[in-house]
Amino acid sequence: MTLATQAPSNVLSDVPPHRLSIVVPMYNEVENVEPFVTAVHEALGDYGFEWELLLVNDGSRDGTRPALDEQARLRGPHVRPIHLWRNFRQTAAMQAGIDAARGDVIVTLDGDLQNDPKDIPKLVARLLKEDLDLVAGWRQNRQDGMLLRKVPSRIANRLIRKITQLEFQDLGCSLKAYRASVLKRVSLYGEMH
């Protein structure tokens, strides 16, 4: 992991010391690799705590692998590509990143640039300041189609809220912050992410 050299941002002013692992599954996203890695570095430029970026190549066939390796070479050892030998799908890729994570806090998000990495410090601050195990993001301006993605997502979220009595807005959003001690006791499989 690398240690940021600047003081923590205001959002993190009262947050206890921690190490952060960011886990990002990627499949055939060569065009997103450089902009995504740049966005994460811009978002965490003044983070103030150790962090690593685990980019899980889920068997991509489009040049994602060399693009990830190049970013790791350019950015340093805190950028860690993990290459799966074939496409195991998003949940397995996420599990591979979680297994390799070294941080006390693990943040997951997609590499398709629909989640803003600038939200990472806010989620981590809420997780640690409020002593929570999970903080979930909420997709506000989704780029998905209404009928095939948004409507089923709204129905699923209502059903999950009713069954679990938990007040999450969007459990389908992959941007989440977890305590590693809790998440590492969960085994993901199928489409469980």
Side-chain angles (χ1 to χ4, degrees):
M1 289 188 162
T2 187
L3 181 63
T5 57
Q6 298 176 354
S9 66
N10 288 341
V11 172
L12 298 168
S13 60
D14 296 329
V15 171
H18 62 278
R19 294 170 302 156
L20 172 64
S21 294
I22 303 161
V23 174
V24 184
M26 298 186 104
Y27 178 67
N28 289 342
E29 297 199 51
V30 66
E31 69 281 349
N32 290 335
V33 171
E34 190 280 329
F36 178 80
V37 173
T38 297
V40 169
H41 280 80
E42 288 172 357
L44 299 180
D46 65 347
Y47 193 70
F49 300 103
E50 290 183 65
W51 62 276
E52 65 180 351
L53 177 59
L54 294 106
L55 301 162
V56 185
N57 171 25
D58 189 17
S60 299
R61 298 179 185 182
D62 70 342
T64 297
R65 180 185 183 113
L68 293 176
D69 290 341
E70 177 67 5
Q71 286 300 307
R73 186 186 69 72
L74 291 172
R75 301 288 184 159
H78 67 286
V79 176
R80 297 176 47 213
I82 299 169
H83 299 294
L84 304 182
W85 64 276
R86 72 171 178 86
N87 179 238
F88 287 95
R89 304 199 38 115
Q90 188 175 18
T91 301
M94 200 168 283
Q95 184 68 60
I98 291 165
D99 291 345
R102 299 174 183 151
D104 310 307
V105 173
I106 298 173
V107 170
T108 60
L109 72 157
D110 290 333
D112 61 6
L113 299 170
Q114 286 201 43
N115 301 126
D116 191 345
K118 290 179 185 168
D119 292 330
I120 292 171
K122 293 180 232 169
L123 265 66
V124 172
R126 181 156 186 220
L127 180 87
L128 296 176
K129 285 180 180 180
E130 296 180 31
D131 196 25
L132 302 170
D133 294 327
L134 163 67
V135 176
W138 181 5
R139 296 170 287 188
Q140 295 289 321
N141 299 310
R142 292 182 66 175
Q143 304 302 311
D144 302 331
M146 178 61 87
L147 191 58
L148 295 178
R149 301 289 247 163
K150 290 182 184 177
V151 171
S153 177
R154 287 179 186 156
I155 293 168
N157 279 310
R158 280 191 197 119
L159 182 62
I160 292 167
R161 279 195 300 271
K162 186 172 180 126
I163 291 170
T164 64
Q165 299 296 306
L166 298 173
E167 291 300 318
F168 287 103
Q169 294 297 321
D170 185 6
L171 282 176
C173 179
S174 65
L175 177 58
K176 293 182 176 80
Y178 307 85
R179 287 189 184 273
S181 59
V182 173
L183 185 57
K184 288 197 176 242
R185 293 188 304 205
V186 176
S187 294
L188 302 177
Y189 55 89
E191 293 300 315
M192 199 170 146
H193 71 277

